[in-house]
mmCIF file of all heavy atoms in Angstrom:
data_model
loop_
_atom_site.group_PDB
_atom_site.id
_atom_site.type_symbol
_atom_site.label_atom_id
_atom_site.label_comp_id
_atom_site.label_asym_id
_atom_site.label_seq_id
_atom_site.Cartn_x
_atom_site.Cartn_y
_atom_site.Cartn_z
ATOM 1 N N LEU A 1529 -4.607 2.996 26.536
ATOM 2 C CA LEU A 1529 -5.069 3.118 25.149
ATOM 3 C C LEU A 1529 -3.922 2.766 24.201
ATOM 4 O O LEU A 1529 -2.793 3.209 24.395
ATOM 5 C CB LEU A 1529 -5.529 4.561 24.862
ATOM 6 C CG LEU A 1529 -5.868 4.901 23.407
ATOM 7 C CD1 LEU A 1529 -7.083 4.134 22.910
ATOM 8 C CD2 LEU A 1529 -6.109 6.408 23.253
ATOM 9 N N THR A 1530 -4.249 1.968 23.192
ATOM 10 C CA THR A 1530 -3.281 1.662 22.137
ATOM 11 C C THR A 1530 -3.893 2.044 20.805
ATOM 12 O O THR A 1530 -4.960 1.550 20.440
ATOM 13 C CB THR A 1530 -2.906 0.165 22.143
ATOM 14 O OG1 THR A 1530 -2.276 -0.138 23.389
ATOM 15 C CG2 THR A 1530 -1.951 -0.170 20.995
ATOM 16 N N VAL A 1531 -3.230 2.974 20.107
ATOM 17 C CA VAL A 1531 -3.710 3.414 18.798
ATOM 18 C C VAL A 1531 -2.987 2.612 17.734
ATOM 19 O O VAL A 1531 -1.754 2.615 17.680
ATOM 20 C CB VAL A 1531 -3.425 4.921 18.598
ATOM 21 C CG1 VAL A 1531 -3.885 5.359 17.216
ATOM 22 C CG2 VAL A 1531 -4.105 5.742 19.688
ATOM 23 N N LEU A 1532 -3.763 1.919 16.913
ATOM 24 C CA LEU A 1532 -3.171 1.179 15.790
ATOM 25 C C LEU A 1532 -3.424 1.950 14.501
ATOM 26 O O LEU A 1532 -4.571 2.125 14.078
ATOM 27 C CB LEU A 1532 -3.781 -0.229 15.691
ATOM 28 C CG LEU A 1532 -3.385 -1.038 14.455
ATOM 29 C CD1 LEU A 1532 -1.874 -1.209 14.346
ATOM 30 C CD2 LEU A 1532 -4.069 -2.410 14.465
ATOM 31 N N LEU A 1533 -2.340 2.445 13.887
ATOM 32 C CA LEU A 1533 -2.443 3.124 12.600
ATOM 33 C C LEU A 1533 -2.280 2.054 11.533
ATOM 34 O O LEU A 1533 -1.176 1.594 11.248
ATOM 35 C CB LEU A 1533 -1.372 4.211 12.489
ATOM 36 C CG LEU A 1533 -1.509 5.330 13.523
ATOM 37 C CD1 LEU A 1533 -0.338 6.288 13.461
ATOM 38 C CD2 LEU A 1533 -2.826 6.087 13.331
ATOM 39 N N ASP A 1534 -3.410 1.658 10.983
ATOM 40 C CA ASP A 1534 -3.439 0.503 10.085
ATOM 41 C C ASP A 1534 -3.155 0.929 8.646
ATOM 42 O O ASP A 1534 -3.812 1.826 8.122
ATOM 43 C CB ASP A 1534 -4.806 -0.170 10.179
ATOM 44 C CG ASP A 1534 -4.915 -1.325 9.202
ATOM 45 O OD1 ASP A 1534 -3.997 -2.173 9.201
ATOM 46 O OD2 ASP A 1534 -5.901 -1.373 8.443
ATOM 47 N N LEU A 1535 -2.159 0.286 8.058
ATOM 48 C CA LEU A 1535 -1.754 0.656 6.697
ATOM 49 C C LEU A 1535 -1.361 -0.581 5.897
ATOM 50 O O LEU A 1535 -0.625 -1.442 6.383
ATOM 51 C CB LEU A 1535 -0.561 1.626 6.788
ATOM 52 C CG LEU A 1535 -0.033 2.221 5.487
ATOM 53 C CD1 LEU A 1535 -1.100 3.041 4.768
ATOM 54 C CD2 LEU A 1535 1.196 3.095 5.765
ATOM 55 N N ASP A 1536 -1.851 -0.637 4.665
ATOM 56 C CA ASP A 1536 -1.455 -1.687 3.727
ATOM 57 C C ASP A 1536 0.062 -1.587 3.495
ATOM 58 O O ASP A 1536 0.565 -0.519 3.176
ATOM 59 C CB ASP A 1536 -2.240 -1.432 2.427
ATOM 60 C CG ASP A 1536 -1.814 -2.357 1.297
ATOM 61 O OD1 ASP A 1536 -0.970 -3.250 1.534
ATOM 62 O OD2 ASP A 1536 -2.325 -2.172 0.187
ATOM 63 N N PRO A 1537 0.800 -2.688 3.671
ATOM 64 C CA PRO A 1537 2.263 -2.632 3.520
ATOM 65 C C PRO A 1537 2.713 -2.078 2.160
ATOM 66 O O PRO A 1537 3.767 -1.451 2.068
ATOM 67 C CB PRO A 1537 2.711 -4.089 3.659
ATOM 68 C CG PRO A 1537 1.608 -4.793 4.355
ATOM 69 C CD PRO A 1537 0.343 -4.049 4.046
ATOM 70 N N ALA A 1538 1.901 -2.287 1.120
ATOM 71 C CA ALA A 1538 2.280 -1.756 -0.203
ATOM 72 C C ALA A 1538 2.266 -0.231 -0.171
ATOM 73 O O ALA A 1538 3.167 0.431 -0.707
ATOM 74 C CB ALA A 1538 1.335 -2.283 -1.269
ATOM 75 N N ALA A 1539 1.270 0.344 0.491
ATOM 76 C CA ALA A 1539 1.202 1.801 0.614
ATOM 77 C C ALA A 1539 2.351 2.315 1.480
ATOM 78 O O ALA A 1539 2.920 3.382 1.224
ATOM 79 C CB ALA A 1539 -0.139 2.211 1.224
ATOM 80 N N ALA A 1540 2.708 1.538 2.500
ATOM 81 C CA ALA A 1540 3.819 1.933 3.373
ATOM 82 C C ALA A 1540 5.123 1.978 2.579
ATOM 83 O O ALA A 1540 5.938 2.877 2.752
ATOM 84 C CB ALA A 1540 3.948 0.956 4.533
ATOM 85 N N ARG A 1541 5.298 1.003 1.714
ATOM 86 C CA ARG A 1541 6.503 0.955 0.872
ATOM 87 C C ARG A 1541 6.636 2.229 0.054
ATOM 88 O O ARG A 1541 7.717 2.786 -0.091
ATOM 89 C CB ARG A 1541 6.430 -0.224 -0.095
ATOM 90 C CG ARG A 1541 7.046 -1.479 0.405
ATOM 91 C CD ARG A 1541 8.566 -1.401 0.397
ATOM 92 N NE ARG A 1541 9.060 -2.159 1.537
ATOM 93 C CZ ARG A 1541 10.319 -2.315 1.872
ATOM 94 N NH1 ARG A 1541 11.260 -1.755 1.173
ATOM 95 N NH2 ARG A 1541 10.666 -3.014 2.927
ATOM 96 N N VAL A 1542 5.496 2.668 -0.517
ATOM 97 C CA VAL A 1542 5.519 3.883 -1.323
ATOM 98 C C VAL A 1542 5.971 5.063 -0.464
ATOM 99 O O VAL A 1542 6.820 5.860 -0.850
ATOM 100 C CB VAL A 1542 4.130 4.154 -1.954
ATOM 101 C CG1 VAL A 1542 4.103 5.492 -2.663
ATOM 102 C CG2 VAL A 1542 3.750 3.019 -2.902
#
Side-chain angles (χ1 to χ4, degrees):
L1529 172 66
T1530 297
V1531 178
L1532 172 58
L1533 297 174
D1534 177 50
L1535 184 61
D1536 174 4
R1541 268 286 146 181
V1542 174

